[in-house]
Amino acid sequence: MECSAVDGRSDSKRSGEAMRPACRRSIARLTGLVGLVAAASLAWPAAARQASLGELVDPNALRVCADPNDLPFSNDKGEGFENEIAELISQRLGVPLRYTWHPNTMGFVRNTLRSYLCDVVMGVASANELLQNTNPYYRSTYVLAYRTADGEKFADLASPAMQQATIGVVAATPPADLLVERGLLDQARSYPLLVDTRYYHPGRDMIADLAAGEIDVALIWGPIAGYWASQQSEPITLVPLHSDRPGGRLDFRVSMGVRPAEPEWKRELNGLIRELQPEITAILERYHVPLLDERGELIAAHPSSGGASAAAVPEPDGYRTERYRAATPATLEGATVVDTAALRKLIESDRPILIDVMSKPTGPEGEAAWQPPPPKHLPGSVWLPNVGLGSLSPEFAAYFADNLEALTEGDAARPRVFYCDANCWFGYNAAKRAVRELGYSHVYWYPEGVEGWRTAGLELV
């Protein structure tokens, strides 16, 4: 969503390279994403649903504002993920789905939503001033994309190889600032931000150029990168981008947009988003959208080409000591690996000790007043932060050992389940340390963690 850039959208949501958060200068364009309109829940009587949609011009249909040629978001063949989400909502409402098509370029909101030709825009960056935002239904980030065959040569903007690399970037999007900060602007190949998506697809073209070797690196909105990378025969790896500059935001929450004077319609959509979130997330994952959790960490890696899955991760000889947020092994020697279904059975039968070992978040440097968001855990858990690091100080090693002994309460056979989040090595390290250094048996590791529990629709506290 790059202000109609990478994918012809706008900064607000295209921070998706368009409304995606991309276009800092054209906030107006941010709103141009595939829209979807929702009404009340099917559980309500038909008469009540009609009353709740009284703000809309036509309460008998889900009228969506959308771009007819803007994959992976939408097209007039219904092949985008926003098309699928719109269809999901219309089915739940029990009303037909109707589109107003318009290129996601300058004037998109004015000529569609604000002209009352439709009732919802799907996929706008939260806090968009041109319309009223619903609650977000996903959070994603700009990524650095490189050919997997290049190894980690181009996996970091700080790599010396970047001084000779050709780096694709959409003009006036947040990653362009990173190139300026790191003195890499001379390495950039610029792709246009404001385009008519009926004729141009900067995001698709950038990823195709990367696969063909015409550029070495692409800095691009994650949903665009994930989708088009999956269409290439050349495997491509995606790495979330981070900025060290205060205010240099590179990840964004994406919501739906409605007219400002329609609070009931907004509440109705918020209820549907909450109710349908597991199905919505599943759609996003099928389109290889890089999703972030509440901590701003990547939930799952989405490298790849042609839908190929990532290679299996081997168990290290020791502990993981860096890049803790990455794909994890499928096994853990000396411990039992459980998925969500197996953990629920274990909880019902054996009263396991649930131990969240996610490290404490730290705030931006120099911002003493910053308070981290309250962490969420599986019900009944004990939080032992920082004990999943690859190397522990003597004080933390003693803290870990003493707490495990106290939690066991003399019952050596009681299961101990370690977890943090999906694609998080802290849980692996802690479980391995309990087995290897402290001699515990009946040790379990739950690699799906907080995100896996949430995705299954289960309560977090």
Side-chain angles (χ1 to χ4, degrees), residues 149-174:
D150 287 333
E152 297 196 356
K153 178 180 179 181
F154 297 119
D156 192 322
L157 285 176
S159 168
M162 286 294 175
Q163 298 298 325
Q164 285 76 46
T166 301
I167 305 171
V169 65
V170 172
T173 61

Side-chain angles (χ1 to χ4, degrees), residues 30 48 67 78 99 106 112 163 167 233 286 337 382 399 428 444:
L30 291 183
D67 190 309
Y99 284 102
M106 201 66 71
T112 57
Q163 298 298 325
I167 305 171
S233 58
R286 282 196 291 101
V337 181
V382 174
Y399 166 78
Y428 174 92
Y444 293 78

Side-chain angles (χ1 to χ4, degrees), residues 2 4-9 14 17 20 67-76 103-104 170 191-209 220 224 227-228 232:
E2 306 259 20
S4 239
V6 154
D7 72 319
R9 305 222 178 171
R14 271 130 211 228
E17 243 62 307
R20 306 167 174 97
D67 190 309
N69 195 27
D70 193 19
L71 292 178
F73 306 98
S74 66
N75 70 8
D76 56 10
N104 188 4
V170 172
Y191 291 74
L193 177 64
L194 300 176
V195 300
D196 186 333
T197 55
R198 292 173 296 183
Y199 307 106
Y200 302 104
H201 296 277
R204 178 198 62 190
D205 296 344
M206 189 191 303
I207 295 298
D209 289 347
I220 186 173
I224 299 170
Y227 177 78
W228 291 115
Q232 309 302 316

Side-chain angles (χ1 to χ4, degrees), residues 184-196:
L184 295 172
L185 201 56
D186 289 343
Q187 315 304 122
R189 175 183 292 187
S190 181
Y191 291 74
L193 177 64
L194 300 176
V195 300
D196 186 333

Side-chain angles (χ1 to χ4, degrees), residues 182 315 343 409:
R182 290 165 169 74
E315 287 193 54
L343 178 56
E409 296 179 336

